[in-house]
Short mmCIF file of all heavy atoms in Angstrom, two decimals:
data_model
loop_
_atom_site.label_atom_id
_atom_site.label_comp_id
_atom_site.label_asym_id
_atom_site.label_seq_id
_atom_site.Cartn_x
_atom_site.Cartn_y
_atom_site.Cartn_z
N PRO Y 26 -9.24 7.71 4.61
CA PRO Y 26 -8.04 7.78 3.79
C PRO Y 26 -7.46 9.18 3.80
O PRO Y 26 -8.20 10.17 3.83
CB PRO Y 26 -8.54 7.41 2.40
CG PRO Y 26 -9.86 6.77 2.59
CD PRO Y 26 -10.41 7.32 3.86
N LEU Y 40 2.03 6.76 -1.67
CA LEU Y 40 0.74 7.01 -1.04
C LEU Y 40 0.80 6.59 0.42
O LEU Y 40 1.09 5.42 0.73
CB LEU Y 40 -0.36 6.23 -1.75
CG LEU Y 40 -0.48 6.47 -3.25
CD1 LEU Y 40 -1.48 5.52 -3.86
CD2 LEU Y 40 -0.86 7.90 -3.54
N THR Y 41 0.52 7.52 1.32
CA THR Y 41 0.51 7.23 2.75
C THR Y 41 -0.89 6.76 3.14
O THR Y 41 -1.87 7.44 2.87
CB THR Y 41 0.89 8.48 3.55
OG1 THR Y 41 2.17 8.92 3.13
CG2 THR Y 41 0.92 8.18 5.04
N LEU Y 48 -12.96 -2.91 7.55
CA LEU Y 48 -14.26 -2.88 6.87
C LEU Y 48 -14.81 -1.46 6.76
O LEU Y 48 -15.47 -1.13 5.78
CB LEU Y 48 -15.25 -3.78 7.63
CG LEU Y 48 -16.64 -3.90 7.03
CD1 LEU Y 48 -16.56 -4.55 5.66
CD2 LEU Y 48 -17.53 -4.72 7.94
N GLY Y 49 -14.51 -0.62 7.72
CA GLY Y 49 -15.05 0.74 7.74
C GLY Y 49 -14.49 1.67 6.68
O GLY Y 49 -15.14 2.64 6.31
N VAL Y 59 -7.35 4.60 -6.47
CA VAL Y 59 -7.57 4.43 -7.90
C VAL Y 59 -7.84 5.78 -8.56
O VAL Y 59 -7.28 6.10 -9.61
CB VAL Y 59 -8.72 3.43 -8.18
CG1 VAL Y 59 -9.13 3.45 -9.64
CG2 VAL Y 59 -8.30 2.03 -7.74
N ARG Y 60 -8.66 6.61 -7.94
CA ARG Y 60 -8.98 7.94 -8.47
C ARG Y 60 -7.71 8.81 -8.52
O ARG Y 60 -7.46 9.50 -9.51
CB ARG Y 60 -10.06 8.59 -7.61
CG ARG Y 60 -10.60 9.88 -8.14
CD ARG Y 60 -11.80 10.39 -7.33
NE ARG Y 60 -11.56 10.47 -5.91
CZ ARG Y 60 -12.11 9.65 -4.99
NH1 ARG Y 60 -12.94 8.70 -5.36
NH2 ARG Y 60 -11.84 9.79 -3.71
N GLU Y 65 -3.33 11.02 -13.35
CA GLU Y 65 -2.14 11.14 -14.19
C GLU Y 65 -2.45 10.67 -15.61
O GLU Y 65 -3.30 9.82 -15.83
CB GLU Y 65 -1.00 10.28 -13.61
CG GLU Y 65 -0.61 10.67 -12.22
CD GLU Y 65 -0.03 12.07 -12.14
OE1 GLU Y 65 0.67 12.49 -13.09
OE2 GLU Y 65 -0.28 12.75 -11.14
N ALA Y 78 2.94 3.69 9.19
CA ALA Y 78 2.19 4.24 10.31
C ALA Y 78 0.83 3.55 10.48
O ALA Y 78 0.03 3.97 11.30
CB ALA Y 78 2.00 5.74 10.13
N GLN Y 85 -9.90 -7.11 5.25
CA GLN Y 85 -10.33 -6.11 4.28
C GLN Y 85 -9.13 -5.31 3.75
O GLN Y 85 -9.12 -4.89 2.60
CB GLN Y 85 -11.37 -5.18 4.90
CG GLN Y 85 -12.66 -5.87 5.25
CD GLN Y 85 -13.29 -6.53 4.05
OE1 GLN Y 85 -13.47 -5.92 3.00
NE2 GLN Y 85 -13.63 -7.80 4.18
N GLY Y 86 -8.13 -5.13 4.58
CA GLY Y 86 -6.91 -4.47 4.14
C GLY Y 86 -6.15 -5.33 3.15
O GLY Y 86 -5.60 -4.84 2.16
N GLY Y 121 -0.27 -14.52 2.96
CA GLY Y 121 0.43 -14.97 1.77
C GLY Y 121 0.60 -13.88 0.73
O GLY Y 121 1.18 -14.11 -0.33
N LEU Y 132 10.71 2.57 4.24
CA LEU Y 132 10.05 3.33 3.19
C LEU Y 132 11.01 3.76 2.09
O LEU Y 132 10.71 3.63 0.90
CB LEU Y 132 9.35 4.56 3.79
CG LEU Y 132 8.59 5.44 2.81
CD1 LEU Y 132 7.53 4.66 2.06
CD2 LEU Y 132 7.98 6.62 3.55
N ARG Y 139 15.26 -1.36 -3.19
CA ARG Y 139 16.43 -2.12 -2.69
C ARG Y 139 16.05 -2.91 -1.44
O ARG Y 139 15.11 -2.59 -0.74
CB ARG Y 139 17.56 -1.17 -2.33
CG ARG Y 139 18.12 -0.42 -3.51
CD ARG Y 139 19.37 0.32 -3.09
NE ARG Y 139 19.20 1.08 -1.87
CZ ARG Y 139 19.04 2.40 -1.82
NH1 ARG Y 139 19.00 3.09 -2.91
NH2 ARG Y 139 18.91 3.01 -0.68
#
Side-chain angles (χ1 to χ4, degrees):
L40 305 173
T41 302
L48 182 63
V59 169
R60 188 173 52 251
E65 301 296 324
Q85 294 303 309
L132 181 58
R139 295 189 311 257

